[in-house]
Amino acid sequence: MHRREDSYLGAPGLELTIRPLEPGDLSEILNIELQGYSHPWSEGIFLDCFKPDYRLWGVCQNGSLAGYVVVSYVLDEVHLLNLCVHPGFRGRGAGRLLLRHLLAEAARECMNQVILEVRLSNNVASKLYRNEGFEEIGRRPRYYPAASGWEDARVMALLLQP
């Protein structure tokens, strides 16, 4: 399956760009993370991701961070660890643009597949991943912390190379 490049324009008049993230972006990243998740990553977790086997990209509008994605590279596989979009940019194409960018970069770097976990209750994200070609390959019981205990994860994968 061939992946589309970063051609998704989002809502009319929404000019978004993608750039690599740096540790100096951490305050903006944490701001979005805190608004996006009930159990957000800590600053230390993000700092641990600024290493050679990780890739961090941000989607920006007029220089301001609107969302980010964090992936790790292991052998020929990409693990999508975190994709989060600021609430003000949700439903406007920012998440899709980030996802398509990471898929294009992974294919460019000759990776074989992308794997991710998503909460069973996160229907919006699951739909996005399915629409971009991901398929469910399993479940991880009690994977995510939740308000009333734990929530299962849907494991999804997309093969990049034939």
Side-chain angles (χ1 to χ4, degrees):
M1 166 181 268
H2 290 279
R3 304 304 315 154
R4 292 171 286 219
E5 295 292 327
D6 298 336
S7 59
Y8 190 78
L9 299 176
L14 185 66
E15 186 175 329
L16 299 173
T17 57
I18 302 279
R19 66 172 175 82
L21 295 175
E22 301 171 353
D25 296 309
L26 201 50
S27 64
E28 282 187 281
I29 293 168
L30 288 170
N31 178 43
I32 295 169
E33 179 80 2
L34 290 170
Q35 293 183 66
Y37 295 118
S38 60
H39 296 81
W41 281 12
S42 68
E43 181 176 350
I45 292 172
F46 279 105
L47 283 172
D48 282 345
C49 294
F50 288 99
K51 295 179 179 171
D53 291 336
Y54 291 81
R55 307 291 185 274
L56 294 86
W57 294 287
V59 60
C60 301
Q61 182 183 38
N62 299 327
S64 294
L65 196 62
Y68 57 86
V69 64
V70 179
V71 299
S72 68
Y73 280 40
V74 179
L75 301 174
D76 65 347
E77 186 174 282
V78 176
H79 191 170
L80 194 166
L81 301 171
N82 192 338
L83 191 156
C84 189
V85 174
H86 186 283
F89 287 89
R90 291 185 187 151
R92 299 170 66 189
R96 185 176 308 276
L97 185 62
L98 279 168
L99 182 60
R100 288 183 178 176
H101 179 80
L102 86 85
L103 294 174
E105 286 295 305
R108 186 184 64 75
E109 294 189 51
C110 300
M111 302 307 278
N112 187 49
Q113 73 174 341
V114 178
I115 292 183
L116 62 88
E117 292 86 14
V118 61
R119 287 179 184 271
L120 288 183
S121 64
N122 193 340
N123 295 321
V124 172
S126 293
K127 182 178 177 183
L128 169 64
Y129 298 134
R130 281 191 190 97
N131 286 344
E132 292 300 315
F134 283 81
E135 295 179 2
E136 183 173 336
I137 61 169
R139 301 273 172 102
R140 295 196 198 280
R142 300 175 40 85
Y143 187 77
Y144 288 108
S148 59
W150 295 89
E151 183 176 355
D152 292 354
R154 174 178 288 117
V155 182
M156 303 182 84
L158 175 68
L159 289 175
L160 299 173
Q161 307 294 326

